[in-house]
Amino acid sequence: MSAWVTKEVMRWGCLCSRRSLWQQSNLMGKKSPKYTSFPSQQLAHIWGTKHHQTCLESNRVSSVRFYSKGTIHSEVLEEKEPLSSPLAKSSLPDENQSEETAPKETPWTSSLLDRLKTCRSPSDVLELTSEHAPTFKQISSCLGQIWFSTKKMSTDNQRYELQLMFEHPGFDVLLQQAMTSVGRMGNGDVAYSLLSMVNLGVPQGSRVIQTFLRNCQENLNDFDEKTLSIFASCLRNMEPSNNTDALKDGVRMVVEARLPGIKNVMALQNMMRMLGKDAPMDLKRKFEEKALSMSNEFNLLDSQHIITAMATMKLHSKPLLDICSKIIQENINGIPFNPLFETMQSYRQLQYRDLELLTDLSEHAASMIDIWTKKQVVLFLSVCERLAFCPAAVMEAFAGKVIENPKALTLKDLLCVVKVYSTLNYDLQHRRQQFLDSLIPALVSYLPKMSSFELLKAVYHLCLLGHFPSALLEPLLQSSKLEKFKSTDPNYLANQERMFQTVNLCLHLEHPVLPQPLTVPPTVLGAPILDSRVVIPELSQCLQSMMEDQANTTLQERVLLLGFYFIDGVITKPLPSETDSGSAESRPRIAVLFPAHSSFCFGTSHPRGTLALKMRHLKTLGYDPVWVTEQELQSTPEEKRTDFLRGRIFPEHRSQAEVEKLNLNTNQESQTVQSS
């Protein structure tokens, strides 16, 4: 099997229409000369493309010549720092020098690794390698230390040090030496050096990267588990191309052949990340089986990595998620914020929710409210909102922080806070008005920086909360501002129109007290909603059966109210003293709703923002809204569904047992929200 994989990988990777994917004529040029000195033009062709070479002069190098879109991958390798110093002309060994004829180790070279550990920036490393050239065995350590030296730097500092590093002539020399020494390096050093260079932003079409890729392709079947894992991490961070795509397919075949023998969890998750969502489903299931077989060995870090790898791979395995989540739940107090947030994002991507786990996460976040930054709390609330989970304790505590100093939040954070509190329909009760009053001045202060769409989102979510600040409404409804909405991308137009329609309905139905009457012009409202939904057959049948013994009571199904709200059924009851007289508008009306399960906060019957607004408006229009979920209906035996629905819609028909059960459920749900 191993020999077959080698042949298949080599055949797949080397030939494409009888042309090598790594073409010497384009990437390597002729045989590299022996370097005794290195003017800028000579160095540039080591890892610059032809486009980059045209920008170089003998004594000048553009400060962004090798910036590679200004990004550094920080998941496996991160960033760095630099300086500049003259290079010794003899700092690079002869490319044809063999291991036997290489310079003997001196006390300096033997202590190079110790001296590397003291380097605090990329420039420190480059100054060190400029004084004395590292051996081919030490190149990967030098490249790795350049990355490691920037792990704790801020993003701005990383960006600055990255630019300095690329301007340092010692970096060109180090890469030249790496390229000429690749044939003598061990496979692990080759893979780690390549990973370092890719994550440092060396252009992926450059000769040095392509040379290392070719070496990996030629030796792929000889890679051990650790080397294969490092190489998988590297390929995951590389942009698609003929070369990388061919290698990914080669790695996939090797991994599939070796999967039963993998012993390291880190290697397993690295390979899962590299193969990603496009891996065949049968291979994903093999990874699932392998991970489950290793689950007894999982520690906290392994569990977090496996969950994020599953999200990258789009592999939803409830048994594996349950195992990993249990470990996380048991060690929740020892998880720093960033890994915790990344894990929660993975839960969202995998659509995995566990009420006990989320409740524990909420309690942990509430205990960290004075330790986490405001930005971190906002990020936590945001991912909870996307999971449709209401962390009430966190929201209650954070509201106090907002009231104390709302201007400490950025515009993005403010918009997120308004969205979370409105979407989760969280009621701050006696602190509600104080909370809203503190938000509005902070939002108004950002008006000059706020885009039209951001302003619309702010107003929309405030409307969901039943708050109508004229300081935001008036700027939104100015003709000059409305004009900008005409150029909205068609992909976002429907969402924009829905928000304007909601704002318009709120203004007309709730009649807020404003300095001047405001209305939303028809030009931004879009076409009327044409709801094509049909009544659920099970619900329709139960409603009609229920109506058979209801005298002077009518049922109307599929009602579109105000051209916006869809009602599954409207039941009109007689007045207590009427027989057949009285207008329909004056008679009690019940609006029967069949909302999606996602319309409620997870684990409760607490309606989320849009459903809460719909019920609020139905009450304003004289309806008594009653909802029944599909889950409730489906879990009730068919022969009892009509009685169940009758008891939900007509309270006077509820049995004592049903009343007690309803009260018990309400109390339990209330306790769940309070504890979260």
Side-chain angles (χ1 to χ4, degrees), residues 50-102:
K50 290 183 179 179
H51 173 74
H52 287 118
Q53 292 173 39
T54 61
C55 300
L56 303 179
E57 300 176 9
S58 58
N59 296 320
R60 287 187 359 206
V61 181
S62 169
S63 63
V64 293
R65 54 182 174 155
F66 303 126
Y67 218 69
S68 187
K69 299 183 181 178
T71 59
I72 296 180
H73 299 283
S74 59
E75 295 178 17
V76 183
L77 294 178
E78 302 179 64
E79 350 258 315
K80 48 267 152 214
E81 271 197 33
L83 235 161
S84 65
S85 68
L87 299 176
K89 290 185 178 181
S90 59
S91 59
L92 270 176
D94 191 307
E95 66 172 296
N96 293 322
Q97 212 170 29
S98 66
E99 184 174 353
E100 291 75 14
T101 61

Side-chain angles (χ1 to χ4, degrees), residues 353-485:
R353 296 182 298 184
D354 178 88
L355 185 58
E356 185 179 348
L357 171 66
L358 290 173
T359 301
D360 285 351
L361 286 169
S362 175
E363 291 174 356
H364 171 68
S367 70
M368 301 294 288
I369 201 78
D370 293 322
I371 299 174
W372 286 354
T373 65
K374 287 184 172 63
K375 179 70 175 178
Q376 289 173 328
V377 179
V378 170
L379 288 173
F380 178 84
L381 291 175
S382 175
V383 74
C384 283
E385 183 268 327
R386 294 191 175 193
L387 286 165
F389 175 73
C390 180
V394 183
M395 298 181 75
E396 190 70 34
F398 189 62
K401 299 288 184 182
V402 173
I403 292 170
E404 287 175 8
N405 188 10
K407 293 189 177 180
L409 296 172
T410 65
L411 171 60
K412 184 177 180 181
D413 291 342
L414 280 169
L415 292 173
C416 186
V417 168
V418 175
K419 178 185 178 184
V420 169
Y421 280 80
S422 66
T423 304
L424 294 177
N425 185 31
Y426 186 72
D427 186 7
L428 287 165
Q429 298 179 353
H430 66 281
R431 292 205 298 176
R432 176 182 180 278
Q433 194 59 45
Q434 189 181 9
F435 174 72
L436 293 171
D437 288 344
S438 65
L439 281 177
I440 304 310
L443 285 167
V444 170
S445 69
Y446 282 111
L447 274 175
K449 300 179 181 179
M450 208 180 292
S451 70
S452 300
F453 193 67
E454 286 174 333
L455 178 56
L456 173 59
K457 286 196 295 183
V459 170
Y460 166 75
H461 286 293
L462 287 168
C463 286
L464 291 186
L465 288 169
H467 195 61
F468 308 94
S470 60
L472 295 176
L473 277 165
E474 289 178 5
L476 174 66
L477 299 177
Q478 288 177 352
S479 56
S480 58
K481 183 70 71 174
L482 293 171
E483 191 70 23
K484 296 179 181 179
F485 288 101

Side-chain angles (χ1 to χ4, degrees), residues 355 389-390 392 597 600-607 627 629 631-632 648 661-676:
L355 185 58
F389 175 73
C390 180
H597 192 61
F600 301 89
C601 291
F602 176 64
T604 74
S605 59
H606 183 67
W627 50 262
T629 65
Q631 185 180 15
E632 286 179 313
R648 175 64 64 86
K661 181 180 178 181
L662 185 62
N663 291 336
L664 178 63
N665 290 339
T666 302
N667 291 334
Q668 288 176 342
E669 288 164 0
S670 176
Q671 290 170 5
T672 300
V673 173
Q674 302 258 345
S675 64
S676 67

